[in-house]
Amino acid sequence: EAARRAGYAEHTARFMASRILRNPDVAAAIRMAMAERARRTQIDADAVLHRWWATATANPNDVIQHIRGACRYCHGTDHAYQWRDRREFRTALAQARAKMEPDDLLPSEEGGFGYNALAEPHPECPRCDGIGESMVVALATNSPLATPLYDGLKKTKDGIEFHLADRAKALEMVARHLGMFNDKLKLQGDAENPLTVLLREIQGSSLQPVADPIDDD
C-alpha cells in the first residue's frame, strides 16, 4: 500500500516494496525512523514484547479464584439455617413481618449464629450434601502479577462481571513478534509506517516509480 501510494503501479507495488526493503540505505533509514519513534513515544519493541509475554503467562488465579465454602445449613444447630449474627436475624424477621408472612414462615434462630461463608462445608450437611456453596472471589487487582491480566469489571443485573485480557491473543502476538508464523508481509497505509514515511520523502528523487519490474539480470 505504501509503495502504491508513492506512485508505483498497482501490479508492481509488491515487487518494488520488497526490492526497496532490501536496499541497505532504505533498511537503515527504516531502522532510524523506528528508533526515533521509540525515543519520541518512549515505547520500544522490547517493552511491548515484555508486556505481551506478561499477559500471555499471567495466572487467572492471581486475579480471581473459585472457592467453595459452607452453606447456611452446614454448621447450624441440627443443620438448621445459621445466621451471621443477631442483627442479620432481626433484619430478616422485621422484613418478613412487614410482608405479613404467617408465623410458621417467619425466620427462626434455632440454627444459631456465627455463619462463616469461608468455613469448610460439612461433609454430612443434608442441604448441600457436603458440596457447600460456590463463590468467585476477586483478589488484589493492582498486584504486579494481576495487572497484565486484569482488564476491568462491570456491574450487571446478575452481579459483578470480571474482564480478563485474552491470554491466547497475547501469546499469538508474542509468536508473531518472534517470527514463528509465516505470514506474508503487508504494508499498511499507516502514516507512521517507516516505509510510508521514507517513500513519501524520496518522491521526486532519483528513485522513481516504474511501470514494470526490472529484471535483476
Side-chain angles (χ1 to χ4, degrees), residues 195-216:
L195 181 57
T196 304
V197 175
L198 183 63
L199 288 175
R200 187 168 61 242
E201 291 177 351
I202 64 177
Q203 289 187 51
S205 69
S206 59
L207 184 59
Q208 297 292 332
V210 295
D212 296 302
I214 300 175
D215 192 342
D216 290 337

Side-chain angles (χ1 to χ4, degrees), residues 132-213:
E133 292 187 347
S134 178
M135 294 174 285
V136 175
V137 180
L139 305 180
T141 56
N142 60 348
S143 70
L145 294 176
T147 299
L149 197 57
Y150 177 66
D151 200 28
L153 54 83
K154 180 173 66 174
K155 187 175 182 180
T156 69
K157 62 182 180 65
D158 298 319
I160 300 297
E161 184 177 285
F162 287 89
H163 293 271
L164 301 180
D166 189 338
R167 292 190 299 156
K169 181 63 176 179
L171 188 60
E172 177 187 337
M173 295 302 293
V174 171
R176 290 186 183 281
H177 183 89
L178 297 178
M180 295 180 179
F181 295 143
N182 189 25
D183 292 346
K184 292 183 178 179
L185 175 65
K186 293 183 179 180
L187 302 176
Q188 304 296 334
D190 179 4
E192 292 296 321
N193 186 310
L195 181 57
T196 304
V197 175
L198 183 63
L199 288 175
R200 187 168 61 242
E201 291 177 351
I202 64 177
Q203 289 187 51
S205 69
S206 59
L207 184 59
Q208 297 292 332
V210 295
D212 296 302

Side-chain angles (χ1 to χ4, degrees), residues 43-59:
I43 300 173
D44 59 22
D46 286 345
V48 173
L49 179 60
H50 281 302
R51 182 56 186 243
W52 279 121
W53 183 245
T55 300
T57 57
N59 187 346

Side-chain angles (χ1 to χ4, degrees), residues 35-165:
E36 170 58 23
R37 183 168 64 174
R39 184 198 64 77
R40 186 174 67 252
T41 62
Q42 297 185 344
I43 300 173
D44 59 22
D46 286 345
V48 173
L49 179 60
H50 281 302
R51 182 56 186 243
W52 279 121
W53 183 245
T55 300
T57 57
N59 187 346
N61 287 322
D62 291 326
V63 183
I64 56 175
Q65 286 187 356
H66 173 251
I67 63 176
R68 290 189 178 276
C71 78
R72 288 283 186 162
Y73 301 88
C74 277
H75 302 291
T77 303
D78 295 328
H79 292 297
Y81 190 95
Q82 186 180 37
W83 303 93
R84 291 185 179 276
D85 49 38
R86 291 189 179 278
R87 180 178 180 180
E88 183 187 40
F89 166 70
R90 289 169 181 164
T91 299
L93 182 60
Q95 291 174 344
R97 284 175 172 168
K99 295 178 181 178
M100 303 183 69
E101 297 280 3
D103 290 345
D104 59 334
L105 294 181
L106 291 177
S108 168
E109 58 180 305
E110 63 183 10
F113 306 95
Y115 171 69
N116 180 0
L118 299 180
E120 289 289 330
H122 194 293
E124 298 180 2
C125 177
R127 286 298 187 112
C128 70
D129 296 321
I131 296 176
E133 292 187 347
S134 178
M135 294 174 285
V136 175
V137 180
L139 305 180
T141 56
N142 60 348
S143 70
L145 294 176
T147 299
L149 197 57
Y150 177 66
D151 200 28
L153 54 83
K154 180 173 66 174
K155 187 175 182 180
T156 69
K157 62 182 180 65
D158 298 319
I160 300 297
E161 184 177 285
F162 287 89
H163 293 271
L164 301 180

